[in-house]
Amino acid sequence: MNGFMGFVVGPFALCVGLLALAATIGWQAAGELPSGARGQVLAKRATRWFIPLIAATGVLLIVRLLLLS
Amino acid sequence: MKASSSADSGALGTGAGLRPAAGRGGAHRAPDIESPSLASSPVGRLTLVIGAVLAVLVPLTTMIDIAYPGRWLPALAFLLFLPGLPLVALIRLPDRLATVTLTVAVSLAVQVVTGMLLLGLGLFGAVAVQVVVAVISLAATAVCWRRAEQNPVGVPLGAVFGGWLSSAATGLRKGVVPAIGLTVAFVLWVIGVNAADPATMNGYGLISLLNPALLAAIVVLVLVAVIELSRSTLRGFWLGAVAVGFVLLLQGMSSAIEPVAGFPVGWLHMGFADYFTTYGTTLNGFDARFSWPGFFAMLSVLSTSTGFTDGAELLRWAPAFGDILMLLPLMLLARALSPSKRAMWLAPLVYAVGNWFQQDYLSPQQLAWFLGLSVLAVVVWSARPAEVPFPQAGSGLRLPHYLWRPALSADRVERLDGRGYVRLLAALVVVMAAVVMSHQLTPVVLVMALVVLWFAKRTRFPGLWLVLAVMAALWISFGAADYWAGHLDQIFGGVGNLGTNLASGVTERVSGTPEHLQMQTMRIGFCGVLLALAAVGLFLIRRSGSLLVLAGLAFCPFLLIALQSYGGEVLLRCFVFALPALAIAGAQALAVLVSPGVLNRVVPIGSALAVVVLTLLCLVQIGARGANAPFERVTVDQLAAVDVIDEVAPPAARIALFDSFAPLGKLEPGRLRGVLVGADTCGSDPVGAACVIGLQPDLLWVSSSTDAYSHLVEGRDPQFGEEIAAELVSRGSYRVLYQADDVTVLIHNTLGAN
C-alpha cells in the first residue's frame, strides 16, 4: 500500500517540482528582463510563487521517499 | 595588490573587471548595446557554414558507418561545437574566451540532455541523438543568419577565431625562442616516452621511468615558461602554448608511455557505454552509476560516431584532452579573479602540476566538473564587481574590510544587456541539467560554490544555487530512484561522520612497503604544499576584492568530508573540486618570483628560483600521479585475456579476483560475477589456494597488478598471485585458459573443452 501511494504521489510531486523549477528560473530572469518586456509579467509572478512551490515540492518528495523506501 | 602587470597581446579577449562599470548604484548607466551577431562578418559566416556542414555530415557517416581516415576528427568537432556554436552565438557574448568556453559546455550539455530525453522515450541511439542535435544546430544557424547585422561596436563574435588566428600569426613571427624551446621540449618528450619501458616500473611507480630525455623536456618547458612569464609584455599566444605543453607533458605522460589506457575503472565505463550502444537503455539495479547515465549515453554516441567502438583510443588520451579542455573555464575564472596577469597565466601551470589525482580519466566526474567549472567561470565573468565593493567605515565591524561581504551587487558586463543575460541564464540551466544527470557529487559542490558566489555578490543570478538544488532534488527523486530505494543509508549514512570519512580517505590508504609508503606520504605532503601555496596567494591578494570568492571556491568542497566517505575517495574528490581555485590562488604566490620586482631587479634570482620550484613541482606531480601505476596499469595481454574469457566463459560465470584492477568492466555488464578473494570471503582461512577452492569460482584472474598490489600495499610476496595460480593447477582443480607475461587466467576443470 505504501509503495502504491508512493507511485500515486510521484507524478503529482513531479509536476509541482517542475513548476517550482520553472518559477525559480523565472525569479532569476525577472531581475534581468526590462520593464514591460513580454516575459516580465510572468517572471514577476514567478518571483511571488517560487518559495511556496519549492516548499510544496520538498514536502511531496519527502512523503514519496518515506512511502517508497 | 591591484592589477599592475603590463598588457598582454589580448589573446584572451577584453576581460571583465579591468575597468569599473556603472551599475545599479553608480552615477550613470552604460547604454545597453548588443554585440554584433556571429554572421555579421565573413569569418563568422564561414564558421556557421562549417558548423552546418558538420551537422549534416557527422550524423550521416554515423548512420552509414563509413570508415575513413580521420573520421574521429569531425565527430569530435560535432561533440564539442554543436549545437553550442550557433546557440551561444545567439547570446552574443562580448568576450572570446567566454564564448568558446560556453560553446563547448553547451554543446556537451545539449548532447547529454538530448540523450537522456531519448532514453526516457525509448528512442535512444547514436544517430537519433545526433539528428536531434543537428536539427537544433541548423535551426539556430538559420536564426543567426537572419539576424546578421553590421554593428561596428564591440568585438564581432566572428572575430573569435579570426582574432586568435591573428594573434597566433603575430606570435609565431616574433617568438623564435619559445617556438624553438617548445619544439625541443616536445621532441625530447617524444624521445623520452618512447624510451620508457613500463614493464620495468618499480615500487616507486611512474617516476622510476623518468629518463634523461624526459627530465630535459621538463627543464626546457619550465625554462620557456619562466622566460615568457618574466617578459615585460606578456604574449598570450606563447603562454597559452606553454599551458597546453604542461598538460600534455604531465597528464599525457602515462598515456604516451603505456600502449593502452590504465585505470581499469575507465574500461568499466566503456562497458557501460557499450551497453547503451547495444540495448539503448539503462540496466536498472546493476550499478549506482546507471542512475546518473548522462555521461555514458554521451560516451556511447561518441564511440559510435568516431568509430572507436572498443574505446581504446578514447580511454588512452582522455586525461590529456580533458585537461586541455579544462584550461578554457580555468583561464576564464583566473582572468576574472586574478589582479595580476602574470598570476593569471601561471594558474594553468599550477593546475597542471597540482593535478595528480587521476580523476581526469574517461569518467562522469571529468565531464561533470568541466561543465560545473564552466558554469562558475561564466557566472563570475558575467558579474562585474561594483565600484565601491565594501561597506563604509564606521559600520561597527572590526574585521578587515576585505573580509566584509560587499555592500553592492555586481553589475552587468559591458555590451551584454538584460535579454542577453536571460539567454545566458537559459544556457546555464541547460549546462546544470547535464551536470545533474551525469554525476552524483558535482551538483552538491556546484551548489556550494554558487552559494559562495551569492554571498560574495559575484553573480548576476543570486538564486542560481537554488535552481540547481531543485534540479538535483528532482533528479535524485525520480531519475535515480532505482539507486536510493532501499539504500538510503548509503546516501545519508556518512553524514556527520567526519572522522570516519577522513580515515577512509587518508589513514586507511597509507600502508604497504617502504617505497609505497614514501609515495603515499609524498602525495599527502604535496596536498599540503598546494594548500600552503594557496594560503600565501590568498594573503597576497587579500585587498584585491577576490579574496572571498577564491577562498570560498577553494575550501567549500571540503565540506563534502562531513557528508560522505564516497567509498574512501571523498578527500581526493575534495581536492579535485578545489584545485582550480587553489591553482589560481597559488599562482598569485608564485607570480612574485617572475614579477619585475625586488627579486629580479639586478640579477634574476626570482626567475631562477621559479625554474627550480616549477621543475621540482613537475617531478613531484609525476611521482604522485604515477605512484599507484604498478598495479593500476592495464596491459595489452590483460585485454587479450578478457577477450578470451568472453569467448569461453559460460553466462554469468563467477570469476575470483584478488583486487579490483582487472579490466573486466570491458565486458557487457552482468557477463561475469566477480568474487573478491580476501579476508572477508576467506574467513578464518588464509588468503590462498585453499580459500579459492572453497569459493569454487569458475575462473581465476591473476596479473602483474595482483602481484604488485599484494606486494606493495599488502606486504605479501612479490609473486603472490602467480604462486596461487601455480598451486591451483598443480592440485588439479583448475587449468590454464590464458597465460602471458602480465596475466594468467585459470578455468575450472569441469568447464568446457580446451
Side-chain angles (χ1 to χ4, degrees):
Chain A
M1 187 60 181
N2 273 355
F4 173 73
M5 286 306 297
F7 284 112
V8 167
V9 169
F12 187 57
L14 181 60
C15 289
V16 174
L18 290 174
L19 269 175
L21 181 60
T24 313
I25 295 171
W27 164 52
Q28 289 303 284
E32 297 293 354
L33 286 168
S35 297
R38 209 162 25 186
Q40 237 251 340
V41 172
L42 270 176
K44 286 288 187 190
R45 204 170 289 170
T47 306
R48 282 200 295 272
W49 284 99
F50 80 93
I51 293 178
L53 282 169
I54 289 176
T57 304
V59 168
L60 286 167
L61 289 180
I62 290 172
V63 167
R64 178 173 174 268
L65 184 146
L66 292 172
L67 288 172
L68 286 180
S69 56
Chain B
M1 183 158 66
K2 290 291 185 182
S4 58
S5 301
S6 57
D8 71 345
S9 62
L12 287 188
T14 56
L18 296 180
R19 287 171 294 168
R24 295 188 194 121
H28 72 279
R29 185 184 178 86
D32 285 338
I33 303 173
E34 282 192 3
S35 292
S37 114
L38 180 62
S40 60
S41 74
V43 174
R45 284 192 213 105
L46 179 63
T47 309
L48 287 175
V49 166
I50 293 173
V53 168
L54 275 178
V56 173
L57 175 72
V58 174
L60 203 60
T61 55
T62 304
M63 192 185 322
I64 303 173
D65 197 18
I66 304 174
Y68 60 90
R71 173 181 168 179
W72 61 273
L73 194 55
L76 194 59
F78 184 97
L79 176 73
L80 295 178
F81 296 112
L82 296 179
L85 184 68
L87 285 178
V88 173
L90 291 173
I91 303 176
R92 301 185 185 182
L93 296 181
D95 184 88
R96 292 178 196 139
L97 186 57
T99 299
V100 177
T101 303
L102 196 61
T103 294
V104 176
V106 167
S107 299
L108 291 169
V110 168
Q111 300 207 28
V112 167
V113 173
T114 303
M116 296 306 302
L117 283 172
L118 292 177
L119 204 63
L121 294 170
L123 299 172
F124 179 82
V127 175
V129 171
Q130 290 191 327
V131 165
V132 172
V133 170
V135 166
I136 297 171
S137 298
L138 292 171
T141 301
V143 173
C144 269
W145 207 275
R146 277 183 58 193
R147 289 184 183 181
E149 54 188 64
Q150 297 299 326
N151 188 344
V153 177
V155 176
L157 291 182
V160 167
F161 300 114
W164 282 357
L165 283 174
S166 171
S167 294
T170 307
L172 281 168
R173 275 202 318 271
K174 297 182 179 179
V176 175
V177 169
I180 293 175
L182 287 173
T183 306
V184 167
F186 180 70
V187 169
L188 286 169
W189 180 77
V190 169
I191 293 171
V193 297
N194 280 312
D197 181 5
T200 63
M201 207 184 297
N202 62 25
Y204 290 103
L206 191 67
I207 194 77
S208 62
L209 300 182
L210 200 67
N211 49 47
L214 284 173
L215 184 58
I218 293 170
V219 172
V220 170
L221 184 62
V222 167
L223 273 171
V224 173
V226 171
I227 289 171
E228 285 301 309
L229 285 165
S230 304
R231 289 174 58 86
S232 54
T233 304
L234 299 178
R235 297 187 288 194
F237 174 77
W238 289 114
L239 286 166
V242 164
V244 171
F246 263 73
V247 170
L248 189 63
L249 186 146
L250 296 174
Q251 273 76 45
M253 185 174 291
S254 61
S255 302
I257 290 175
E258 297 275 8
V260 294
F263 235 66
V265 182
W267 292 97
L268 179 66
H269 294 163
M270 274 314 304
F272 287 173
D274 284 344
Y275 188 87
F276 276 90
T277 304
T278 306
Y279 299 103
T281 182
T282 58
L283 183 58
N284 292 330
F286 180 80
D287 189 282
R289 282 164 283 204
F290 274 111
S291 291
W292 283 267
F295 165 76
F296 302 111
M298 187 208 74
L299 184 57
S300 166
V301 174
L302 179 65
S303 66
T304 306
S305 61
T306 54
F308 294 144
T309 47
D310 67 348
E313 293 306 314
L314 295 175
L315 282 164
R316 190 177 177 196
W317 296 107
F321 184 76
D323 285 328
I324 289 173
L325 268 190
M326 207 63 157
L327 294 180
L328 290 172
L330 177 69
M331 284 307 301
L332 187 61
L333 193 62
R335 195 185 66 193
L337 295 177
S338 291
S340 151
K341 281 201 171 63
R342 263 174 246 281
M344 176 188 80
W345 284 109
L346 258 171
L349 309 193
V350 178
Y351 180 83
V353 299
N355 186 14
W356 67 263
F357 311 103
Q358 287 183 292
Q359 293 302 304
D360 47 11
Y361 64 101
L362 197 64
S363 60
Q365 57 266 33
Q366 183 194 36
L367 170 69
W369 189 224
F370 169 78
L371 296 176
L373 190 63
S374 298
V375 168
L376 292 176
V378 169
V379 167
V380 171
W381 163 79
S382 65
R384 188 190 296 270
E387 283 188 49
V388 184
F390 302 115
Q392 296 300 315
S395 65
L397 292 173
R398 292 196 175 182
L399 287 174
H401 67 87
Y402 46 80
L403 292 178
W404 297 347
R405 190 181 184 206
L408 299 176
S409 300
D411 286 320
R412 294 176 188 162
V413 296
E414 291 183 359
R415 296 192 312 277
L416 190 62
D417 64 359
R419 289 187 197 277
Y421 271 88
V422 173
R423 294 183 202 125
L424 182 61
L425 175 64
L428 292 174
V429 168
V430 171
V431 177
M432 293 193 304
V435 173
V436 159
M437 294 174 186
S438 299
H439 195 234
Q440 306 96 315
L441 269 190
T442 307
V444 177
V445 175
L446 192 52
V447 166
M448 292 194 288
L450 290 171
V451 168
V452 167
L453 297 185
W454 160 76
F455 180 81
K457 294 194 178 177
R458 194 60 191 265
T459 173
R460 291 290 300 178
F461 308 113
L464 198 62
W465 65 271
L466 194 52
V467 173
L468 178 59
V470 172
M471 291 166 73
L474 287 175
W475 181 261
I476 290 174
S477 300
F478 293 97
D482 184 56
Y483 167 63
W484 58 257
H487 299 93
L488 279 178
D489 58 320
Q490 289 185 15
I491 301 179
F492 299 110
V495 174
N497 290 338
L498 189 64
T500 308
N501 296 342
L502 202 55
S504 66
V506 180
T507 51
E508 291 172 12
R509 289 170 172 251
V510 184
S511 62
T513 59
E515 313 98 296
H516 188 71
L517 275 175
Q518 284 172 24
M519 301 311 286
Q520 301 309 310
T521 306
M522 185 182 73
R523 282 179 156 187
I524 295 170
F526 193 29
C527 290
V529 167
L530 289 174
L531 289 171
L533 208 57
V536 171
L538 288 171
F539 177 78
L540 290 174
I541 65 160
R542 62 193 182 281
R543 293 190 173 88
S544 70
S546 298
L547 176 66
L548 275 185
V549 174
L550 259 185
L553 293 180
F555 294 107
C556 75
F558 292 94
L559 293 173
L560 284 178
I561 300 173
L563 296 178
Q564 251 225 11
S565 70
Y566 208 66
E569 286 195 355
V570 69
L571 196 57
L572 202 72
R573 302 302 180 105
C574 291
F575 272 100
V576 170
F577 291 124
L579 185 61
L582 289 176
I584 295 171
Q588 314 300 321
L590 288 179
V592 172
L593 296 177
V594 292
S595 298
V598 171
L599 289 174
N600 292 310
R601 189 164 292 161
V602 178
V603 179
I605 298 173
S607 298
L609 202 55
V611 171
V612 172
V613 168
L614 279 176
T615 303
L616 281 175
L617 287 176
C618 287
L619 295 176
V620 173
Q621 194 271 0
I622 294 169
R625 189 178 172 96
N628 292 345
F631 48 85
E632 285 178 346
R633 60 188 295 251
V634 173
T635 67
V636 174
D637 291 334
Q638 291 172 10
L639 292 177
V642 173
D643 292 336
V644 169
I645 291 173
D646 196 25
E647 287 172 17
V648 171
R654 297 172 70 241
I655 182 165
L657 307 138
F658 292 94
D659 52 74
S660 56
F661 302 113
L664 296 170
K666 185 186 169 196
L667 299 175
E668 182 174 313
R671 176 70 179 85
L672 298 172
R673 289 179 294 157
V675 179
L676 203 59
V677 183
D680 291 340
T681 46
C682 294
S684 55
D685 291 332
V687 177
C691 175
V692 174
I693 292 174
L695 292 171
Q696 297 181 324
D698 302 308
L699 301 149
L700 173 75
W701 172 287
V702 295
S703 68
S704 54
S705 297
T706 308
D707 292 339
Y709 182 80
S710 58
H711 173 60
L712 292 173
V713 179
E714 297 177 337
R716 299 182 194 275
D717 188 85
Q719 305 296 324
F720 171 73
E722 292 299 325
E723 288 168 357
I724 291 181
E727 184 177 342
L728 287 168
V729 171
S730 69
R731 286 196 189 195
S733 308
Y734 292 85
R735 66 181 187 278
V736 174
L737 174 65
Y738 181 89
Q739 191 164 45
D741 289 341
D742 299 318
V743 63
T744 299
V745 179
L746 303 184
I747 188 168
H748 203 276
N749 278 331
T750 59
L751 288 175
N754 285 333

